Amino acid sequence: MFASLLVVALIGAIAWAGSAMGLAYLFGVVLPYVAVVTFFLGVIWRMVYWAKSPVPFSIPTTGGQEKSLDFIKHEKWDCPNTKFGVVVRMFLEVCFFRSLFRNTAADVREFDPVTKGPRTIYYSSKWLWFFALLFHYCFLLVFVRHFRFFMDPVPGWLTFMESIDGIMQIGAPRFFWTGGLLLVAVLFLLARRLFNQRLRYISLMNDYFPLFLILGVVLSGICMRYFDKTDIAQVKVFIMGLVHFSPVAPDGISPLFFMHLAFVSVLLLYFPFSKLMHMPGVFFSPTRNLPTNTREVRHVNPWNPPKQYFTYAEYEDVYRDAMAEAGLPLEKQPSSKAAE
């Protein structure tokens, strides 16, 4: 945890100091271009690799009763046996995190009045589902809202979305609720890893690093908007120059902007090689994209290449004499025995 926090802090400090010392071109132009190219090539490479990987077994997750006899209730969306059912299950999983909603937590009660001793109990845990849903949708809306820096003129639907996001105006500039809720959701996910003893025990650097990195992106963006207010018009001119591959001089832009941009660039660089690839990876998971129809359709292992089978009759034809000398039972006797 401390190593991840230190790395993220160093990234921010280096970007801040470098932009203040005249290296704004490096952190504002070179790093974003390298990050975007690496992101797209890395994601495409991982997706192609997954698409080419054979699936030796039919292993869809089953959250209920598989299709069986007509009088047995069938869980259509948790154990679909058709392609349409798989599409519905994927939609519910991707858009509403259905499996996480059904998640239960386990705990050990030290003293139970029934058993007069320790007892394992299971209970519904909806907090993780709620904050995970809040995090992903707020992140998506913040990401889409930033498109106004890449478009000129800004589309009407994007302006309307911004007005809805900041409908409860607090102060000036207008407070966007998605940014505040995203910060709350990230802090919850981080606190969950810190204060849950079992989860903290199995957490590694690649679990903490993306959380601290996203937290750096959110905090630097909030500070840049509400506290150290950056010239948004100059930022848009600079970003439009990047979009049209004609970078302009980053004069008059706060170093905080380049720290924010460095966090985003490092996140893009890290994305294809991290657990964050679960975003496209869910579509390639055989536990999700396969129908639960193993009672109806035989799943053929694609790893099995065409083989020339050696039947027992052919085996006996080749080794009949040796088998006869060893006294093994034969379906057909050797030619010399038959002649006698």
Side-chain angles (χ1 to χ4, degrees), residues 112-332:
D112 186 78
V114 177
T115 61
K116 306 299 182 181
R119 177 187 175 191
T120 303
I121 58 174
Y122 300 90
Y123 54 92
S124 177
S125 178
K126 297 293 186 289
W127 287 109
L128 178 58
W129 168 81
F130 175 77
F131 280 100
L133 203 65
L134 185 68
F135 168 78
H136 285 85
Y137 273 105
C138 286
F139 201 109
L140 175 63
L141 292 175
V142 169
F143 174 75
V144 173
R145 184 157 48 79
H146 277 66
F147 281 175
R148 70 183 187 275
F149 294 110
F150 299 86
M151 299 179 179
D152 192 21
V154 179
W157 63 267
L158 189 54
T159 305
F160 176 75
M161 192 191 76
E162 284 187 347
S163 63
I164 296 298
D165 193 357
I167 193 170
M168 298 180 66
Q169 183 169 352
I170 300 176
R174 182 170 52 184
F175 178 76
F176 288 127
W177 284 96
T178 51
L181 293 176
L182 178 59
L183 177 60
V184 171
V186 174
L187 290 176
F188 171 83
L189 296 176
L190 182 59
R192 175 174 168 266
R193 288 202 173 270
L194 294 177
F195 296 108
N196 187 319
Q197 184 178 3
R198 285 171 301 210
L199 189 61
R200 186 173 67 248
Y201 180 78
I202 63 174
S203 295
L204 302 174
M205 183 174 179
N206 56 6
D207 295 307
Y208 289 110
F209 181 69
L211 285 175
F212 283 122
L213 200 55
I214 294 173
L215 186 62
V217 172
V218 175
L219 288 176
S220 59
I222 290 176
C223 291
M224 187 167 50
R225 178 172 177 82
Y226 302 107
F227 300 102
D228 185 15
K229 299 178 182 178
T230 306
D231 187 355
I232 299 298
Q234 186 64 26
V235 168
K236 180 161 185 176
V237 171
F238 178 74
I239 294 179
M240 291 299 295
L242 294 178
V243 172
H244 293 95
F245 300 102
S246 55
V248 298
D251 299 329
I253 301 180
S254 170
L256 186 59
F257 167 76
F258 294 101
M259 185 174 72
H260 180 72
L261 190 59
F263 283 142
V264 175
S265 299
V266 173
L267 184 62
L268 292 178
L269 285 168
Y270 180 72
F271 191 97
F273 314 101
S274 68
K275 295 181 179 180
L276 300 176
M277 276 297 292
H278 68 268
M279 183 178 72
V282 66
F283 297 100
F284 295 89
S285 174
T287 61
R288 291 285 185 271
N289 60 24
L290 288 178
T292 314
N293 59 355
T294 51
R295 294 180 177 180
E296 305 172 24
V297 181
R298 182 178 179 224
H299 181 83
V300 180
N301 182 3
W303 276 347
N304 289 339
K307 297 179 180 178
Q308 182 177 359
Y309 293 99
F310 200 45
T311 65
Y312 178 77
E314 295 171 337
Y315 177 86
E316 189 175 288
D317 289 340
V318 174
Y319 300 105
R320 182 171 288 112
D321 293 337
M323 294 173 66
E325 292 179 4
L328 297 176
L330 298 172
E331 293 184 356
K332 293 174 60 178

